[in-house]
Amino acid sequence: MHPEPPASPPAPGVVVLGRFQPVHHGHTLMIAAAERWRLSIAPELPMIIAIGSSNRPESMENPWSTEEREEMLRAWLEDKGGFEHALIVAIPDIEDPPNWVAHAEQYHGPAGVFFTSDLPSAGLYESAGWQVVITPFEQRERFEGWRVRATAQMMSTIDDDEAVRTVLSPAMPISVVNYLIEAQGLRRLAFLGEGGEPVG
């Protein structure tokens, strides 16, 4: 299982969990809201950003590796500022919802505060004794992961970087778009459609 749990999990914190495929404005709005809540209510707790599905093979649903998703997050966190002490952890899937929280605690630490917009996940964590803060998923129709990936795929064969920034920045932070351009992280999307043929 990749990665293996750390020998010493983090202390309890404010946990934001996502797949971040890719990091989009829906994610960053939630992380920013969680940080405002943390600073106001529980500043003694660390901010922990958990990347889920770390063990998934490359596909159109999971086109970017854990390491790339961490780099996207760090690009945004650095650009945003104020997150110098945020901890990023990666958690593999186990396809076992009743045991998910116990599994995830090996990576993001024991019961703290779970900050989410996902009601099924909220229920799992609440049942496991966590404090849960539910926040609305702002502009869900614009920031759903599949929709953002589809737009990125459409731009995957475009060599005009400014055009790519113009099209993707309404859904993704410009720092993340720049990372994907510089890391050539969009081109592969052209080959992840049905049959492996390039799109366009």
Side-chain angles (χ1 to χ4, degrees), residues 16-23 27 31 49-52 69 72-73:
V16 176
L17 172 66
R19 294 193 322 114
F20 305 106
Q21 288 279 19
V23 175
H27 295 131
I31 294 170
I49 303 172
I51 301 173
R69 288 177 280 165
M72 292 182 216
L73 283 165

Side-chain angles (χ1 to χ4, degrees), residues 26 141 148 166:
E141 68 283 354
V148 178
T166 298

Side-chain angles (χ1 to χ4, degrees), residues 31-122:
I31 294 170
E35 178 66 357
R36 289 193 299 271
W37 185 94
R38 186 189 73 83
L39 292 173
S40 175
I41 305 298
E44 73 282 2
L45 297 179
M47 167 64 73
I48 301 173
I49 303 172
I51 301 173
S53 302
S54 66
N55 56 336
R56 293 295 188 186
E58 185 181 273
S59 67
M60 189 57 211
E61 187 177 358
N62 298 283
W64 294 288
S65 69
T66 300
E67 292 76 17
E68 289 172 317
R69 288 177 280 165
E70 181 172 346
E71 288 300 318
M72 292 182 216
L73 283 165
R74 292 198 183 282
W76 177 76
L77 292 170
E78 182 176 345
D79 185 61
K80 180 74 172 176
F83 288 92
E84 290 78 8
H85 301 295
L87 177 65
I88 300 175
V89 301
I91 307 175
D93 286 342
I94 58 170
E95 302 294 348
D96 185 4
N99 291 307
W100 164 259
V101 177
H103 163 71
E105 286 177 342
Q106 299 177 75
Y107 295 85
H108 61 42
V113 179
F114 186 62
F115 199 96
T116 187
S117 62
D118 183 70
L119 294 181
S121 296

Side-chain angles (χ1 to χ4, degrees), residues 150-161:
T151 304
Q153 187 181 42
M154 286 191 300
M155 301 304 294
S156 61
T157 58
I158 303 300
D159 293 325
D160 184 337
D161 291 349

